[in-house]
Amino acid sequence: MDRLRAFEVFTTVVQRGSFTRAADALDTSAANVTRYVNELERHLGTRLLHRTSRHLSLTESGQALHEHVRGILDDVAEAEALASASTVQARGRLRLNAPLSFGILHLAPLWPRFMALHPDVELDVSLSDRVVDLVEEGYDLAIRISRGGAAASQVTRRLSTSRNVVCAAPAYLARAGRPKRLEDLAAHVCIAYSNSSMAEEWPLTDAAGNTRVVRMRSVMQANNGDTVRAAALAGRGLIWQPTFLIGDDLRAGRLVRVLPDHALPDIDILAVYPSRRHLSAKVRLMIDFLAEQFRGTPSWDRT
């Protein structure tokens, strides 16, 4: 038995959730996929998957194997990619998805630079705050703004970070007062970012590391950060937003940070792709390019 191939087949079955979909992904037959999994189970002397006509789930042994095998396969793919990188020409269409505001503000200026460096790569950029399914929707790469990473079946590379800041316009603070303690937030209203689990429940951590969740009353909700920002600039309430969106406003005084001794969780800017295995030259070049562009202190956090 080719154990490396068996590991690949087993991992693909887990990621795709069925033998048939794994067979399609591996360009082989469902019977062949079943054979590999059965041989692997016989070799290890344990059942790896619970199978029913409609559902697959991992056994305890299968879960342990899957966690270790993914790392092995990624290491092998990384070695293969490094060995072949110098001989593979980057060309063809690269489909990339990114969040709307971040894509306009911080990615759009980078595309011409990448195109000048790699003229044989055609960019197909889609901006959306919806979390796309990379495999099902045919994307090579996505940029994600995340506190929780990506799905277990995906690979990520952190490009940068951004702080989340509670702030308001000077006009709002002059009218409603500036909160000095967490308890003062009860007398204030907010404009909530509805795409977040922190929309109206703000987990604020003090300098000693103690976190308290404060329930806020929203007078408006929006699923787009630019809309939230515009309402705050008009003096309609408190907001929290990432510095990549409001950094310039804070530096210019259009927005003022409140409760500076308390912090919200930072967020990661991630490059997300389905797997390191068989990673194309164009995707690898894009990831390396973006990592270089965002290296060091993020521009939005510079004073």
Side-chain angles (χ1 to χ4, degrees):
M1 178 183 63
D2 182 344
R3 271 185 284 177
L4 192 62
R5 177 61 172 172
F7 288 160
E8 179 184 29
V9 170
F10 167 68
T11 300
T12 305
V13 169
V14 174
Q15 292 175 344
R16 297 305 175 98
S18 85
F19 284 69
T20 301
R21 286 194 291 269
D24 291 340
L26 295 168
D27 194 23
T28 187
S29 67
N32 207 26
V33 169
T34 301
R35 179 176 63 82
Y36 269 107
V37 173
N38 288 341
E39 288 182 357
L40 184 59
E41 288 181 326
R42 282 196 297 270
H43 173 74
L44 296 174
T46 186
R47 180 173 291 278
L48 301 173
L49 294 164
H50 295 300
R51 307 167 174 85
T52 69
S53 59
R54 295 187 177 184
H55 183 65
L56 285 178
S57 63
L58 286 166
T59 65
E60 185 177 350
S61 296
Q63 181 67 45
L65 181 67
H66 183 245
E67 291 175 0
H68 286 84
V69 163
R70 284 185 61 233
I72 293 170
L73 292 175
D74 284 345
D75 288 343
V76 170
E78 185 77 7
E80 291 174 343
L82 289 172
S84 63
S86 61
T87 62
V88 177
Q89 179 67 32
R91 63 176 66 252
R93 175 174 294 189
L94 192 160
R95 294 199 69 216
L96 185 149
N97 175 265
L100 183 61
S101 299
F102 187 82
I104 293 171
L105 289 172
H106 301 289
L107 294 176
L110 301 181
W111 304 141
R113 301 180 204 172
F114 182 86
M115 294 164 65
L117 291 170
H118 307 287
D120 291 330
V121 177
E122 176 190 349
L123 295 182
D124 183 348
V125 179
S126 170
L127 299 182
S128 170
D129 290 333
R130 178 178 63 87
V131 177
V132 301
D133 186 311
L134 297 181
V135 175
E136 292 294 329
E137 298 181 52
Y139 286 100
D140 300 298
L141 177 67
I143 307 303
R144 298 263 171 85
I145 312 296
S146 173
R147 288 193 300 131
S153 61
Q154 298 172 333
V155 183
T156 66
R157 180 171 176 180
R158 190 172 70 174
L159 302 174
S160 190
T161 59
S162 183
R163 293 180 293 119
N164 282 317
V165 173
V166 178
C167 58
Y172 172 81
L173 297 175
R175 183 176 72 251
R178 185 165 183 164
K180 296 181 174 61
R181 304 174 304 158
L182 290 186
E183 291 74 14
D184 296 339
L185 292 176
H188 288 265
V189 296
C190 77
I191 299 98
Y193 178 59
S194 58
N195 272 354
S196 172
S197 61
M198 304 189 308
E200 294 180 307
E201 296 183 346
W202 297 1
L204 292 159
T205 303
D206 64 22
N210 302 308
T211 299
R212 178 176 165 188
V213 177
V214 179
R215 176 75 181 180
M216 297 295 298
R217 180 171 63 90
S218 66
V219 293
M220 174 182 172
Q221 294 195 8
N223 67 353
N224 172 262
D226 288 298
T227 302
V228 171
R229 169 182 172 267
L233 288 171
R236 304 319 306 167
L238 296 171
I239 64 167
W240 68 259
Q241 280 294 296
T243 48
F244 74 73
L245 182 64
I246 59 168
D248 287 344
D249 297 317
L250 294 171
R251 283 186 288 272
R254 292 185 294 268
L255 293 173
V256 178
R257 184 173 183 180
V258 300
L259 297 171
D261 293 333
H262 291 77
L264 288 161
D266 292 346
I267 51 176
D268 290 328
I269 316 298
L270 304 173
V272 181
Y273 43 109
S275 171
R276 285 194 184 97
R277 198 160 180 79
H278 307 310
L279 188 63
S280 66
K282 61 189 178 185
V283 175
R284 179 172 296 278
L285 283 173
M286 175 59 80
I287 294 169
D288 290 343
F289 170 79
L290 292 175
E292 177 61 27
Q293 298 301 311
F294 291 116
R295 185 166 55 90
T297 303
S299 60
W300 46 82
D301 281 338
R302 293 173 192 160
T303 56

